[in-house]
Amino acid sequence: MLLSSELQAFQEEVRQFCAEELPADIRAKVLRNQKLEKDDYIAWQRALDRKGWFAGHWPAEHGGLGWSALKRWIFEEELYAAGAPWLVPFGVSYVGPVIYTFGNVAQKRTHLEPIRRSEIWWAQGYSEPGAGSDLASLSTRAVRDGDHYRVTGQKIWISYAHWADKMFLLARTSTEGKPQDGISFLLLDMSAPGIVVRPIPTIDRYHHVNEIFLDDVKVPVANLVGEENRGWTQAKFLLDRERLLTAEVGKARRLLRRLLDIARATPSGSGSLSGDRHWRLKFAEIYSETLTLEATCLDLLTEAQNGRDPGPVASMLKIVGSELLQRINGMTIDAIGLHGLAYDTSGLSAESPMTGAAQFAGSVREYLYSRVLSIYGGSNEIQRNIIARSVLGLGR
């Protein structure tokens, strides 16, 4: 579909902003898939906030610009295509909208501005050892004790909790009724006594995720968002927003450019790999799929903007987007060849000499990390079940 002249102008403005304001050192790290520190993310998010864009999708009355879903998608995809860091969603895209939608006046006054200004780093306390995609089976308990809850349980696969100042979490406040009943949405301070954060080693040898142990942690009742035992409403609200924008087309475009650069620099026969007919056909296929996914996203978001519920199509985008990125990364490792066998993690540091296997460490890391894309945010198997029930009427 063709963008309106207004959206085309906005798209160009975002590209120009990235060219002028995205720090060169941060962009270089992103393009090489190197380690980003907390300060890198915050510096970029604050630059966007000075422009008024970091929370542009928030309503104007809460400090945003009231962007449509389509305008927000264009914004984020242009950032990622330009080599900007991931916009860490836990504050600005997850708990922030929950607070301004379901929170009381005091909660909005306390939390929204620090989220928008990236003054507080949030973690998402949803998954548990026995409750991942089946979130309603969570067992972390919050027992009311006067003006506090006492929270005990375990959360797992919590991204960047080692950097977090606060965490929003789901806890069971009642065992009556259906599994979805009796769940409450709480905000807690990560410095509270009784919280232990332990890193979980991952295959890419980078500290992304953690497990969190909660032992009789006191959480003020004032930090309950919405009604007690009605937290499933907030949980679904958050997950629906999370899954609508999961097809990372901008990142796919950036990784395809990286793949093409590698292929051009890789000898093959009398020329380079990029000139090989078989390789060109494979690249053309995956490039065409990226364009098709982009067009589908634009159509879907236009319909959502006009009030149509995306329904199971959001699950389809999650499946296609995650598997597309995995294939691009797999093709990149194929192009790297023998250099991909040795994972020289020194190349993940910006200070490392970019020679030998180290210069490809970022691509190897991205390949390894991309295994998780079809798992988090509701595994692709779960998404296929949603499609089967909603579209084919199976399993009802």
Side-chain angles (χ1 to χ4, degrees):
M1 62 168 282
L2 293 176
L3 297 177
S4 67
S5 57
E6 177 187 353
L7 288 176
Q8 287 181 20
F10 176 68
Q11 186 179 52
E12 183 55 39
E13 185 181 6
V14 175
R15 291 174 180 172
Q16 188 66 27
F17 181 85
C18 289
E20 296 175 355
E21 301 296 333
L22 177 57
D25 60 328
I26 294 178
R27 181 176 185 272
K29 288 181 184 180
V30 173
L31 295 180
R32 293 196 293 257
N33 296 312
Q34 293 177 313
K35 291 180 180 177
L36 291 175
E37 302 299 333
K38 181 179 180 180
D39 287 346
D40 294 326
Y41 290 106
I42 291 177
W44 176 235
Q45 289 172 183
R46 288 180 175 170
L48 293 173
D49 181 55
R50 289 192 292 272
K51 181 71 172 176
W53 283 352
F54 182 50
H57 58 285
W58 287 15
E61 62 266 30
H62 300 304
L65 298 173
W67 286 346
S68 66
L70 177 58
K71 189 168 186 177
R72 176 189 175 187
W73 186 84
I74 291 170
F75 167 70
E76 294 190 3
E77 295 308 314
E78 290 303 326
L79 293 190
Y80 299 146
W86 181 48
L87 294 180
V88 182
F90 310 117
V92 72
S93 296
Y94 293 178
V95 74
V98 168
I99 290 172
Y100 67 62
T101 302
F102 301 97
N104 58 40
V105 173
Q107 289 167 346
K108 294 174 187 178
R109 185 168 54 243
T110 300
H111 298 294
L112 291 183
E113 185 171 348
I115 289 173
R116 184 172 57 79
R117 296 187 180 279
S118 297
E119 295 170 351
I120 300 294
W121 190 286
W122 286 83
Q124 178 182 12
Y126 270 29
S127 296
E128 299 182 4
S133 296
D134 182 18
L135 191 58
S137 62
L138 66 86
S139 59
T140 294
R141 295 293 305 276
V143 178
R144 182 75 176 262
D145 181 14
D147 59 356
H148 284 79
Y149 291 101
R150 293 188 174 273
V151 181
T152 299
Q154 182 182 356
K155 298 293 181 178
I156 200 166
W157 312 120
I158 310 303
S159 298
Y160 303 108
H162 52 294
W163 290 345
D165 306 294
K166 295 183 182 295
M167 179 170 67
F168 59 94
L169 83 161
L170 299 177
R172 189 164 298 284
T173 45
S174 173
T175 57
E176 301 294 326
K178 298 184 299 183
Q180 290 84 355
D181 297 334
I183 292 174
S184 296
F185 192 102
L186 302 174
L187 313 176
L188 67 80
D189 193 321
M190 290 296 286
S191 64
I195 299 176
V196 175
V197 179
R198 293 180 184 169
I200 299 177
T202 51
I203 193 172
D204 63 349
R205 303 180 194 172
Y206 185 64
H207 187 181
H208 304 278
V209 293
N210 307 269
E211 55 183 342
I212 299 179
F213 298 89
L214 304 152
D215 183 11
D216 199 31
V217 179
K218 293 180 67 176
V219 178
V221 171
N223 287 2
L224 169 70
V225 180
E227 296 180 50
E228 185 176 280
N229 300 328
R230 295 291 181 266
W232 193 249
T233 300
Q234 290 92 294
K236 286 189 63 179
F237 171 86
L238 190 154
L239 291 172
D240 287 344
R241 296 173 70 89
E242 177 183 2
R243 289 169 184 165
L244 184 59
L245 298 168
T246 51
E248 299 177 88
V249 177
K251 183 176 182 178
R253 286 170 24 211
R254 188 184 79 224
L255 291 176
L256 282 172
R257 288 198 301 268
R258 168 72 170 159
L259 170 59
L260 188 55
D261 288 343
I262 290 172
R264 286 169 173 163
T266 302
S268 178
S270 59
S272 69
L273 182 60
S274 64
D276 178 85
R277 180 176 179 274
H278 177 67
W279 189 91
R280 289 170 66 89
L281 286 173
K282 288 180 64 178
F283 184 85
E285 179 182 1
I286 206 164
Y287 180 70
S288 297
E289 290 183 18
T290 303
L291 294 179
T292 301
L293 178 60
E294 181 176 27
T296 303
C297 289
L298 288 170
D299 286 342
L300 172 66
L301 291 166
T302 300
E303 292 180 1
Q305 183 173 304
N306 294 330
R308 180 176 173 183
D309 183 354
V313 180
S315 294
M316 181 271 288
L317 291 181
K318 198 275 180 180
I319 294 170
V320 175
S322 61
E323 293 182 353
L324 177 65
L325 286 173
Q326 289 174 340
R327 288 174 54 209
I328 292 171
N329 286 317
M331 195 171 171
T332 301
I333 294 300
D334 289 343
I336 290 172
L338 293 176
H339 291 294
L341 295 177
Y343 184 25
D344 185 350
T345 55
S346 68
L348 300 181
S349 169
E351 292 76 29
S352 173
M354 291 293 106
T355 59
Q359 66 184 303
F360 298 107
S363 293
V364 176
R365 176 196 160 200
E366 184 67 31
Y367 169 77
L368 295 173
Y369 176 74
S370 70
R371 299 303 92 197
V372 78
L373 299 179
S374 52
I375 300 172
Y376 68 31
S379 71
N380 284 10
E381 290 77 10
I382 293 294
Q383 303 308 316
R384 288 185 169 93
N385 287 343
I386 292 172
I387 294 170
R389 288 194 301 268
S390 301
V391 179
L392 304 177
L394 301 178
R396 289 179 178 173

